[in-house]
Structures are given as structure tokens and as C-alpha cells.
């Protein structure tokens, strides 16, 4: 990696030759454990299209077939044993005493690191990276210790995964420490250095962003001095990963800068929020991160026939941190007032 992508001057470890077949095996292992996790905690979710989120079609068919033949569990357990015996991380970690893995739980590398650590008698610490990791995903491999965001996460870890509380540490969120107000940190934004940045965060396939973004752009063009602002639209990364994003459609909207980069060390939620003056989103958790940083936030929860999920009127009723619009007829009037105030 280039030096500017490694601001903390970390020494990167040796390259791992991680074969593609290990990802394929992991998909089968994960979904077997996901079935078991949901059968116990949320059976209705198995019927949801999100159960196979990000799974290539051929693997989706294979997993369904193995499940129908009642051999998914046998195959998954065999593949786990294979991945434990032939593990590319064995050579790497044998010289270390403690392994630390930042993980979203749904992570083949963390699973393999944990298998290797357990096999070699090394201690391993998992650190939670996302707010819903622990409550919505199976813990396939069990670390010695777990670092979580807060009390709720520790209770999820105990109740959903029977993890011992005395091996759980409350460390806060590792996502929220990079915030610095410095527009020079993001090169594509240099041309906007004299403008206020309005960041629109998409929510993936659950919420069809286009009509909302188009309507907001229309009223902003009419109602405020658009030359003082730059609207930046960041689609949910899953839309690119699953090839479901119609880029040409969004490019037709004037005054919109389309942010296409996927997250990495330099370009991530915290660095993007560091240059944001106002955040708009249907219901992304980045709204909470923006609120944490003191950035004005406006959310929209309403039903639309293009949304993959519905009944948005029930979402966010417990949130009283920032304005939420439930009726799309109020988009313009409420937004104008919000912009005027902030």
C-alpha cells in the first residue's frame, strides 16, 4: 500500500495466499450456521431475500439443494474440518502470542484466523466492527475474547451466542475515531472546497433512492442558492457488488456528484463524514454516526412500490435525535425549513 494509505505507519504482515475455493467453502459453512441461528432466533428471516444477500446464484442453488437433501450440515462440517487442517494463516500467526481481528462476524478471514489460533493454542480477540453484527449473524468460530461497542452488544453476545461476559470487553466503536474537519484529505472533494457538502447516503436494495434524490435536487435548485452547496450521493456499496446500480439513471440528475468508491483505509465513512456539512438519508446508520459528530441530519422513511422492503412507517419511531419525514408529500417544505435552520 502507498504511504498515504497507511497513515499509522503499520508494518503489514506477509502476504497470505488465500485461494478462491476457501470463499466458496465458507459460503456453504456460513449459510448452514445461518440457518441454525435463524431457526432459533428469527425463523421468518429465512424466507427474506436478505438471507442470501451477496450470494452468487449458483451457490444459492447449491445451498438450497444441499438443504433439501438434508446433507447441508454434513457438508458444512466436513468443509470446516478441511479449512482447519489446511489453513494459510497457520504459518503466519505461529510467531505471535495474541491475534486481534476486526470482524463483522460474516467474515471468512476472521473465521480462519480463529481456527488457526485455536489449533496452535494462541489467544485471539475479535473486535466488533458493525452495530448489528452480533445480533444478526452466527458466530461460527469462537474467539477467546470479544471487544464490543457497549452494554447492548455484550448482552447480544451472551444471549444469542452464549459467550461468557467475563471474556467480553466494552471498548466502544472502532469506526468513530477518524473524524477530522479537513477537506484536503479527500482528493475528489478539492474542487468543492469552497462549498458546503450535502451528503446523501443510500440504503441499498431495500430503499429505491432515485425518486427521493431527484425530488430533493429539484427543490434545492428552486429554493436555495445551489452554488453554495454540493450534493454528493454515496450509494450503498452492495448495489455495486450485486451489480444492481443503474449509474446512467443517476447521472441524469443535475448538481449531483456520484461517489462510487468502495470503503478502504483512506475513503471510508469517517473520512467522508469529516467533510460533510449536512447529511440526508432514508435510514442509513451513518445518520447516527453523523449525529455523533454534530452534523445536522434529516431522514426519510416512507413506503414506495420500488422499495424491496415496506411498512417504513414503523421504522425510527424510537429515534428522537433528528427529524424524520414519514410522508413524502412533506419532503420539500420540511427540508426547506431544515436547511434554513442549519
Amino acid at each position: 500500500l502507498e504511504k498515504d494509505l497507511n497513515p499509522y505507519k503499520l508494518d503489514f504482515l506477509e502476504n497470505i495466499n488465500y485461494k478462491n475455493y476457501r470463499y466458496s467453502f465458507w459460503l456453504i459453512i456460513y449459510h448452514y450456521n445461518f440457518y441454525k441461528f435463524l431457526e432459533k432466533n428469527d425463523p421468518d428471516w429465512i424466507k427474506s431475500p436478505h438471507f442470501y444477500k451477496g450470494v452468487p446464484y449458483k451457490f444459492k442453488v447449491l445451498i438450497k439443494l444441499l438443504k433439501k437433501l438434508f446433507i447441508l450440515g454434513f457438508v458444512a462440517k466436513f468443509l470446516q474440518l478441511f479449512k482447519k487442517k489446511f489453513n494459510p494463516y497457520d504459518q503466519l500467526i505461529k510467531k505471535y502470542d495474541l491475534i486481534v481481528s476486526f470482524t463483522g462476524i460474516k467474515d471468512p478471514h476472521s473465521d480462519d484466523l480463529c481456527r488457526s489460533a485455536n489449533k496452535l493454542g494462541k489467544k485471539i480477540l475479535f473486535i466488533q466492527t458493525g452495530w448489528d453484527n452480533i445480533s444478526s449473524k452466527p458466530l461460527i468460530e469462537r474467539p477467546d475474547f470479544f471487544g464490543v461497542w457497549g452494554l447492548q452488544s455484550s448482552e447480544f453476545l451472551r444471549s444469542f451466542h452464549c459467550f461468557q461476559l467475563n471474556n467480553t470487553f466494552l471498548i466502544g466503536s472502532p469506526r468513530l475515531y477518524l473524524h477530522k474537519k479537513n477537506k484536503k484529505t479527500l482528493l475528489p472533494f478539492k474542487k468543492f472546497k469552497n462549498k458546503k457538502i450535502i451528503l446523501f447516503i443510500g440504503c441499498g436494495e431495500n430503499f429505491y433512492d432515485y425518486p427521493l434524490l431527484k425530488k430533493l435536487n429539484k427543490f434545492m435548485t428552486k429554493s436555495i442558492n445551489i452554488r453554495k452547496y454540493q450534493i454528493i450521493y454515496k450509494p450503498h456499496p452492495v448495489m455495486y457488488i450485486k451489480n444492481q446500480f443503474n449509474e446512467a439513471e443517476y447521472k441524469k440528475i443535475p448538481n449531483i456528484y456520484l461517489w462510487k468508491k468502495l470503503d478502504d483505509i483512506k475513503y471510508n465513512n469517517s473520512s467522508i463524514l469529516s467533510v460533510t456539512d449536512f447529511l440526508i438519508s432514508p435510514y442509513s446508520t451513518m445518520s447516527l454516526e453523523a449525529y455523533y459528530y454534530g452534523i445536522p441530519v434529516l431522514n426519510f422513511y416512507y413506503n414506495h412500490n420500488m422499495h424491496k422492503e415496506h411498512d417504513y412507517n414503523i421504522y425510527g419511531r424510537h429515534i428522537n435525535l433528528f427529524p424524520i419525514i414519514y410522508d413524502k408529500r412533506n419532503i420539500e417544505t420540511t427540508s426547506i425549513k431544515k436547511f434554513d435552520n442549519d
Side-chain angles (χ1 to χ4, degrees), residues 216-230:
L216 284 169
N217 180 72
K218 182 179 179 180
F219 101 76
M220 286 183 63
T221 305
K222 292 189 305 182
S223 306
I224 64 175
N225 186 353
I226 195 66
R227 289 175 296 180
K228 292 182 179 180
Y229 298 90
Q230 178 60 50

Side-chain angles (χ1 to χ4, degrees), residues 34 45 48-53 106 205-206 308-309:
F34 201 18
W45 193 253
S48 163
H50 295 288
F51 181 79
Y52 289 104
K53 189 174 183 178
K106 189 178 180 180
E205 56 194 339
N206 304 338
K308 280 206 171 181
E309 287 187 354

Side-chain angles (χ1 to χ4, degrees), residues 115-167:
R115 290 186 188 103
S116 185
N118 292 337
K119 180 167 72 173
L120 298 176
K122 306 289 185 179
K123 298 294 184 183
I124 182 166
L125 166 69
F126 276 3
I127 295 180
Q128 171 191 4
T129 58
W131 69 273
D132 65 342
N133 298 158
I134 293 170
S135 61
S136 63
K137 299 173 179 66
L139 185 62
I140 298 173
E141 301 295 333
R142 302 180 70 82
D144 298 284
F145 311 104
F146 218 118
V148 298
W149 287 21
L151 288 172
Q152 185 187 61
S153 297
S154 67
E155 175 56 24
F156 285 159
L157 196 59
R158 184 196 66 79
S159 58
F160 285 114
H161 306 289
C162 300
F163 201 88
Q164 290 184 326
L165 287 178
N166 58 349
N167 289 336

Side-chain angles (χ1 to χ4, degrees), residues 319-330:
I319 299 175
N320 57 5
L321 304 177
F322 39 77
I324 297 174
I325 297 174
Y326 292 95
D327 188 342
K328 57 186 175 184
R329 292 173 297 183
N330 295 332

Side-chain angles (χ1 to χ4, degrees), residues 27 31 51-57 59-60 63 106 242:
L27 280 172
H31 281 84
F51 181 79
Y52 289 104
K53 189 174 183 178
V55 180
Y57 178 75
F59 283 99
K60 181 177 175 180
I63 293 166
K106 189 178 180 180
K242 298 181 74 172

Side-chain angles (χ1 to χ4, degrees), residues 2 25 36 71 130 160 162 185 216 240 260 278-279 284 303 313:
E2 297 177 7
F25 289 178
K36 292 199 304 179
I71 59 172
F160 285 114
C162 300
T185 59
L216 284 169
Y240 282 109
K260 298 187 288 185
F278 195 101
L279 185 136
S284 170
N303 294 329
N313 292 320

